[in-house]
Amino acid sequence: MLLIICMTALAFSSDAQSCWRWLGIKPAYKLKNELSISWGLVENPFEMYHDDTPGWPEGRFEGNTPWERYDRSRYSYGDRIYTQALSVGYTQELSRWLALGVQTSYSGIYQSQRLDGMSVDHLYTHRLAIYPAVRFTYLNRSMVRLYSGLGLGVGMKWEREFFNPDVRYSVFPTGQVTFFGVSVGRALFANWELGYGVKGYLTLGMGYRW
């Protein structure tokens, strides 16, 4: 309950320290805020889809006339584009070792189908997640910080495939586990993380701390 109450204060109040005082806790540590952006790998770049002719459904060519085969061969496909994970986060340090925050992440996949050089169809997948996160800093120096973290929240996905006009929607629990992170800098900082989840397994970012 303490985590939920103070996370709500972080999201909706500019003075989260008053939340702790309301609970009877008087933190001696001056609270610090962070605003960060990052880009992370969620799909393996060595397994990305570059073939110009994706596999047809099984049996699609069976029993077709020569004209139908020729007509279908006029279609071509652009490269499948992966945005990977783009994330924005706000975090507030409550002590030298503990911080709470809110993260949001987006990742997408896009590919176009062309007929005689003109785009006629699209395949896409959009994923969006928002989740509260806790961060544990086990080395806190003026220039360098080492940390781990955990976040759990809700994710949404909508996707459409070739030859199918319907868009599928889904909502599911999701989050991010940060096994190891490094932050370098004071007010302006750069960081990289190793983890698993919607933010990516290898993440590079930057931010501002005040």
Side-chain angles (χ1 to χ4, degrees):
M1 289 300 297
L2 178 65
L3 177 62
I4 294 173
I5 293 172
C6 291
M7 187 63 67
T8 303
L10 285 175
F12 299 105
S13 173
S14 61
D15 186 12
Q17 192 167 11
S18 62
C19 170
W20 294 95
R21 288 174 176 157
W22 178 74
L23 293 171
I25 301 173
K26 297 180 180 180
Y29 183 76
K30 182 181 178 181
L31 304 185
K32 295 181 180 180
N33 303 279
E34 288 183 11
L35 188 63
S36 61
I37 59 174
S38 64
W39 180 84
L41 294 173
V42 288
E43 280 97 8
N44 188 338
F46 300 104
E47 295 179 355
M48 287 186 179
Y49 197 99
H50 292 293
D51 190 357
D52 190 58
T53 55
W56 297 94
E58 183 178 356
R60 188 174 181 85
F61 285 138
E62 294 180 4
N64 291 332
T65 66
W67 169 253
E68 289 173 331
R69 292 172 183 253
Y70 165 77
D71 185 57
R72 193 171 293 114
S73 69
R74 300 163 62 204
Y75 290 89
S76 61
Y77 296 82
D79 289 338
R80 186 166 293 189
I81 299 172
Y82 295 80
T83 67
Q84 302 297 345
L86 306 172
S87 302
V88 178
Y90 169 75
T91 304
Q92 188 168 72
E93 293 184 349
L94 304 179
S95 71
R96 292 183 61 84
W97 60 272
L98 177 65
L100 299 176
V102 177
Q103 297 279 335
T104 181
S105 297
Y106 166 83
S107 63
I109 302 172
Y110 181 85
Q111 188 178 19
S112 63
Q113 180 194 65
R114 298 186 295 267
L115 172 62
D116 295 336
M118 297 182 61
S119 179
V120 294
D121 200 2
H122 302 284
L123 171 151
Y124 60 80
T125 299
H126 301 291
R127 294 185 293 259
L128 181 67
I130 183 168
Y131 55 95
V134 59
R135 186 179 71 197
F136 302 97
T137 303
Y138 42 86
L139 177 65
N140 192 335
R141 298 292 184 265
S142 60
M143 283 293 294
V144 179
R145 302 182 183 198
L146 305 180
Y147 59 90
S148 297
L150 175 66
L152 182 63
V154 62
M156 296 160 281
K157 180 172 71 172
W158 54 103
E159 58 185 344
R160 179 185 183 276
E161 297 181 354
F162 290 130
F163 320 113
N164 188 350
D166 297 328
V167 179
R168 297 195 301 268
Y169 300 90
S170 59
V171 179
F172 47 88
T174 189
Q176 176 77 16
V177 178
T178 301
F179 303 120
F180 178 74
V182 179
S183 172
V184 179
R186 290 189 174 92
L188 291 175
F189 64 90
N191 67 324
W192 67 271
E193 300 174 356
L194 293 175
Y196 179 79
V198 294
K199 198 175 179 180
Y201 58 87
L202 175 61
T203 304
L204 305 175
M206 60 181 299
Y208 176 69
R209 183 182 296 126
W210 70 96

